[in-house]
Amino acid sequence: RAKQQGRNNYQLYTPALGARALERLVLENRLYKALEREEFLLHYQPQVNLITGQIVGMEALIRWNSSDLGFISPYQFIPLAEETGLICPIGEWVLRTACAQNRLWQSQGLPQFRIAVNLSARQFQQNNLLKIIDQILAETGLEPYFLELEITESIAMQDVDLTISVLRKLQNMGIQISMDDFGTGYSSLSYLKHFPLDTLKIDRSFIRDLMRNPHDAAIVKAIMALGHGLNLKVIAEGVETPEQLEFLRSVECDGLQGYLFSPPVAAQAATEIIKNGKLNMKN
Ligand code: C2E
Ligand code: MG
Ligand code: MG
Ligand code: MG
């Protein structure tokens, strides 16, 4: 309507619809079209076993290259996709693409590992989630063991009974489950023992200041003890320096993910990393 009224009309910029709201509206509008315009792609970041240096997993991370807005961070558009419900079709695309990619790597005879996919709250609460995953695994031919789903504490805590029942079904299917960004949410320890999990991922915020902040070091040690006490693997995210690596080795962390080894990269670059095998463990 503003356009019809001529170029010098600034009606859209009234206080009622401020610049932020307008930006959101534009983003939302583009997001609706992004799937059919094929503007999404996945990047992959290796997860490395701390003892052997072998790649034990690849986390799939979505990228949006909008034809008219350029690259937009998932921190910006995932919450919007969540609010609008678009996250369900987008998340399904991510699952299908990631599973197909892992199957492709396997068919090339490369060393095998799990592909990790982030789930959003709405996706997790979708009542046909298990059916969709089952269908995608059948379609792509990927064994469930080679798929790992990442959920956050805030997702898990929204409806604890639902969480337990969905996670149990996923685990019965043979799928691995990890708790992402662990330590930043509000999951109470008494619930943690009821959640069927395989892995805890220590949030990047605790790793970042590990060498400067003794409190962070204490928290990381506590999470290690908690995880191992519950028979879970513990992975650290956001590992950037050899000093952090050494600390994590000393507390017997199982796996590492971070720029020290590789940032998330496009499929082709990820293939090269996998072909090269072990990653440089520095010292
Ligand atoms: P996340 O699942 O915790 O993913 C880790 C984030 O940390 C990624 O950001 C990754 O690029 C970044 N990262 C990895 N190593 C380092 C490091 O050493 N240093 C620093 N500074 N950063 C590192 P990214 O790719 O921007 O994704 C942000 C968040 O968006 C993800 O956090 C996840 O919550 C969400 N997300 C990404 N892809 C998807 C998706 O396909 N579905 C859903 N539902 N959420 C997604
Ligand atoms: Mg994640
Ligand atoms: Mg994470
Ligand atoms: Mg994180």
Side-chain angles (χ1 to χ4, degrees), residues 150 180-181 201 237:
E150 299 193 357
D180 203 357
D181 303 342
K201 290 185 79 175
E237 58 176 24

Side-chain angles (χ1 to χ4, degrees), residues 75 180-182 202-205 237:
Y75 287 116
D180 203 357
D181 303 342
F182 187 72
I202 307 176
D203 189 65
R204 198 173 78 213
S205 59
E237 58 176 24

Side-chain angles (χ1 to χ4, degrees), residues 3 6 17 23 40 50 68 90 94 105-106 108-109 116-117 146 199 215 227 240-241 244 249 268:
K3 208 173 180 181
L17 190 65
E23 191 188 320
F40 293 118
L50 215 154
D68 23 42
I90 294 172
V94 172
W105 280 323
Q106 293 182 347
Q108 293 170 352
V117 174
F146 292 112
T199 304
H215 294 141
E240 295 184 356
T241 70
Q244 292 167 341
R249 197 200 296 280
Q268 202 177 347

